[in-house]
């Protein structure tokens, strides 16, 4: 194993989870698509970096070196920074400028690097400074609620906050649902039906696009891990 980590949910309504990990060796694992954006804080060989990672529209390859300590903040859908709309972060990584000492620059101010234990305090400070906000419309839309808002406005606000369309996020969630069904031992053909795919090739294309592996590959890997 080239990386070890622990993850926990956050008590902040702006953050979905906090992950703290260490890289034991260099690695290039397959990573799934990701609908949320992250702030990533890396410490390696005494140096620190702050990176904003946007939503990843498709699966790909992650790359990391040896000997790094990493803290990931995964923000909930609908959380965004008005001065950096999430749509502008799609499929990209942004290295934030270094500040003096143990700090980095964000929206014209320097901020101390947070630790895995005090990231919620850091997030609260961003919220107080209105650097970080949350659009409640996104939750309402994803829950399927009918809103008295023009459809064009809904699309604009949803894209601004998440960087992705509603349909894209639903496709991603369906691919994850299909993977969970396969992990529970549901056959590929039954998974096609239960997850709402047209046919097996449709399921295969979707899982490969969003998760980085085919149904057959996932079943084989699940069997090896059992």
């Amino acid at each position: 194993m080239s990386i070890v980590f622990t993850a926990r949910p956050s008590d902040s309504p702006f953050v979905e989870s906090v992950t703290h990990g260490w890289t034991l060796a260099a690695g290039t694992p397959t990573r799934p698509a990701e609908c949320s954006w992250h702030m990533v804080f890396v410490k390696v060989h005494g140096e620190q970096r702050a990176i904003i990672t946007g939503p990843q529209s498709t699966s790909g390859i992650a790359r990391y070196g040896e000997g790094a300590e990493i803290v990931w903040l995964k923000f909930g859908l609908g959380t965004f920074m008005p001065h950096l709309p999430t749509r502008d972060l799609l499929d990209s990584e942004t290295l934030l400028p270094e500040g003096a000492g143990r700090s980095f620059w964000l929206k014209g101010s320097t901020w101390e690097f947070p630790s895995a234990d005090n990231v919620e305090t850091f997030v609260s400070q961003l919220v107080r400074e209105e650097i970080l906000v949350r659009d409640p419309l996104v939750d309402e839309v994803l829950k399927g609620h009918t809103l008295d808002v023009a459809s064009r406005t809904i699309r604009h606000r949803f894209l601004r906050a998440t960087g992705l369309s509603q349909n894209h996020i639903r496709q991603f969630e369906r691919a994850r649902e299909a993977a969970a069904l396969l992990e529970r031992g549901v056959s590929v053909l039954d998974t096609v039906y239960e997850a709402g795919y047209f046919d097996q090739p449709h399921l295969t294309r979707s899982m490969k696009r969003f998760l980085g592996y085919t149904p057959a590959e996932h079943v084989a890997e699940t069997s090896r891990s059992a």
Side-chain angles (χ1 to χ4, degrees):
M1 182 178 293
S2 58
I3 184 169
V4 294
F5 61 88
T6 58
R8 63 172 175 82
S10 174
D11 57 11
S12 169
F14 295 83
V15 179
E16 182 175 324
S17 63
V18 177
T19 302
H20 187 200
W22 295 263
T23 59
L24 307 180
T28 55
T30 299
R31 57 144 185 84
E34 176 57 75
C35 292
S36 295
W37 65 280
H38 298 69
M39 290 190 79
V40 184
F41 304 100
V42 182
K43 182 189 296 184
V44 58
H45 305 311
E47 297 183 358
Q48 289 182 283
R49 299 193 301 270
I51 303 165
I52 294 176
T53 302
Q56 303 295 311
S57 59
T58 62
S59 62
I61 301 297
R63 293 178 173 83
Y64 49 78
E66 180 182 357
E69 179 182 1
I70 308 174
V71 176
W72 294 264
L73 283 181
K74 179 178 180 178
F75 291 95
L77 288 173
T79 297
F80 70 104
M81 295 182 290
H83 75 291
L84 286 175
T86 312
R87 64 172 179 266
D88 296 338
L89 304 174
L90 185 64
D91 293 321
S92 70
E93 289 188 354
T94 302
L95 178 64
L96 298 177
E98 294 182 19
R102 298 179 180 275
S103 68
F104 61 94
W105 286 91
L106 178 64
K107 201 187 177 187
S109 299
T110 56
W111 298 79
E112 289 188 7
F113 282 91
S115 69
D117 297 324
N118 68 7
V119 288
E120 277 81 9
T121 300
F122 167 71
V123 169
S124 295
Q125 292 172 340
L126 294 180
V127 173
R128 282 198 298 271
E129 295 294 326
E130 298 183 341
I131 294 174
L132 197 67
V133 300
R134 188 166 177 266
D135 191 339
L137 175 141
V138 172
D139 276 343
E140 297 299 310
V141 169
L142 291 175
K143 291 175 181 176
H145 296 170
T146 301
L147 303 176
D148 188 20
V149 181
S151 58
R152 182 176 180 178
T153 300
I154 291 175
R155 286 194 299 271
H156 172 75
R157 286 174 57 180
F158 199 95
L159 183 62
R160 182 185 186 218
T162 70
L164 299 165
S165 68
Q166 303 168 43
N167 184 56
H168 186 100
I169 291 174
R170 291 193 174 103
Q171 288 183 52
F172 173 68
E173 292 299 333
R174 182 166 60 171
R176 291 179 61 185
E177 177 190 355
L181 289 169
L182 293 170
E183 288 170 14
R184 296 202 298 267
V186 178
S187 71
V188 172
L189 290 179
D190 285 342
T191 295
V192 168
Y193 173 77
E194 292 191 32
Y197 288 98
F198 297 124
D199 51 28
Q200 186 171 338
H202 185 202
L203 168 65
T204 298
R205 289 193 301 272
S206 176
M207 289 186 62
K208 189 68 176 179
R209 176 189 180 191
F210 291 111
L211 305 181
Y213 47 75
T214 67
E217 289 169 343
H218 189 50
V219 169
E221 180 61 30
T222 300
S223 299
R224 284 195 294 269
S225 302

